[in-house]
Amino acid sequence: MQQLTVTQELDFNSETYKDAYSRINAIVIEGEQEAQENYIQLAELLPDQKNELTSLAKMENRHKKGFQACGRNLSVTADMEFAKEYFSNLHQNFQTAAASGNIVTCLLIQSLIIECFAIAAYNIYIPVADPFARKITEGVVKDEYTHLNFGEEWLKENFEASKTELEQANKQNLPLVWRMLNQVEKDAHILGMEKDALVEDFMIAYGEALSNIGFTTRDIMRMSAYGLTAA
């Protein structure tokens, strides 16, 4: 299965495309909604950064509205029930960590895993998106790097104190990403996005983030391998 490189090969109005899009579109809407809620919770846990985190939450809300418009543009109703279930494990892990005041785990889930997942998906989607969605997604992906940078900077400044918890949170949550990618492989393919490319882009972004925080190449290889336990 080769990645489609030109949108002309995709029929954006076909029932097959719209059916797959109803789930993929719901995932990005729900992902932005969860990110908004997560940043609001992080603002409570990190009162010194409340203004910045509140700003990030507002940005995620704008993204959500943009992706809702993408669905309307194709006359597709997003399958939000599917999307809520899709994110349920990551959502629960974030809520558990937040309730315990485990800021490091919250930042790994939201600022590293979810943001890298979003960046990978949006970068792979842009070349095969319909013209309206491409314009929206190009704007969103620029913002996502800002969000990733917030988590990186905080964790970098607190690296030694955070390292053990980061490794444990990685071990718990990275396998979930693989299961999530496997779950939408067929729908993503119909939209012109291949799982191998998504995995590659995610691991590059995630590895770079871990490196920027302070992990060694050996650490990153070991931590990345946990994702394969769910492959």
Side-chain angles (χ1 to χ4, degrees):
M1 296 190 297
Q2 291 185 329
Q3 173 124 358
L4 297 172
T5 54
V6 288
T7 54
Q8 283 79 359
E9 296 180 52
L10 296 169
D11 181 358
F12 302 124
N13 293 309
S14 73
E15 288 307 311
T16 302
Y17 187 94
K18 287 185 174 185
D19 177 60
Y21 193 85
S22 71
R23 289 179 290 277
I24 300 295
N25 184 234
I27 287 169
V28 295
I29 291 169
E30 179 64 21
E32 300 293 350
Q33 174 67 34
E34 301 242 347
Q36 179 191 3
E37 293 170 2
N38 289 350
Y39 282 122
I40 290 170
Q41 284 186 270
L42 279 164
E44 295 172 6
L45 294 169
L46 292 166
D48 290 349
Q49 277 88 29
K50 185 170 185 176
N51 288 343
E52 187 175 357
L53 286 161
T54 301
S55 176
L56 291 177
K58 289 177 180 176
M59 209 181 284
E60 300 289 17
N61 189 47
R62 289 198 299 274
H63 295 170
K64 179 184 75 173
K65 290 178 179 177
F67 288 126
Q68 287 172 329
C70 291
R72 288 195 298 272
N73 182 59
L74 293 180
S75 302
V76 171
T77 301
D79 187 345
M80 297 310 298
E81 188 175 337
F82 170 83
K84 286 186 183 299
E85 178 61 29
Y86 183 78
F87 276 103
S88 60
N89 289 326
L90 272 183
H91 175 79
Q92 185 56 54
N93 287 354
F94 184 94
Q95 294 304 318
T96 300
S100 303
N102 294 338
I103 294 168
V104 171
T105 299
C106 289
L107 283 173
L108 178 121
I109 293 171
Q110 177 56 51
S111 293
L112 300 190
I113 285 182
I114 292 179
E115 298 296 357
C116 287
F117 188 89
I119 286 168
Y122 299 158
N123 280 334
I124 297 298
Y125 175 60
I126 285 168
V128 294
D130 66 88
F132 181 87
R134 182 184 304 131
K135 188 174 180 181
I136 296 285
T137 310
E138 284 173 344
V140 168
V141 81
K142 291 174 187 173
D143 290 341
E144 299 299 357
Y145 284 105
T146 307
H147 303 177
L148 178 62
N149 187 253
F150 173 86
E152 277 183 17
E153 290 303 313
W154 192 95
L155 292 167
K156 185 177 180 179
E157 289 174 15
N158 299 275
F159 179 64
E160 290 305 325
S162 304
K163 189 177 180 184
T164 301
E165 187 180 336
L166 277 170
E167 290 181 343
Q168 184 56 41
N170 171 82
K171 188 175 182 179
Q172 180 187 23
N173 291 285
L174 192 60
L176 299 178
V177 176
W178 254 246
R179 288 200 281 272
M180 291 166 79
L181 286 165
N182 287 336
Q183 202 176 341
V184 293
E185 181 176 6
K186 290 181 181 177
D187 286 336
H189 176 65
I190 289 168
L191 269 58
M193 305 158 67
E194 298 308 331
K195 192 185 87 168
D196 287 352
L198 288 165
V199 169
E200 184 179 344
D201 263 41
F202 171 80
M203 291 312 299
I204 289 170
Y206 191 61
E208 286 177 352
L210 293 176
S211 176
N212 291 341
I213 289 164
F215 285 104
T216 66
T217 302
R218 181 181 288 273
D219 288 335
I220 294 165
M221 293 291 285
R222 177 172 48 79
M223 292 170 72
S224 298
Y226 284 118
L228 300 176
T229 62

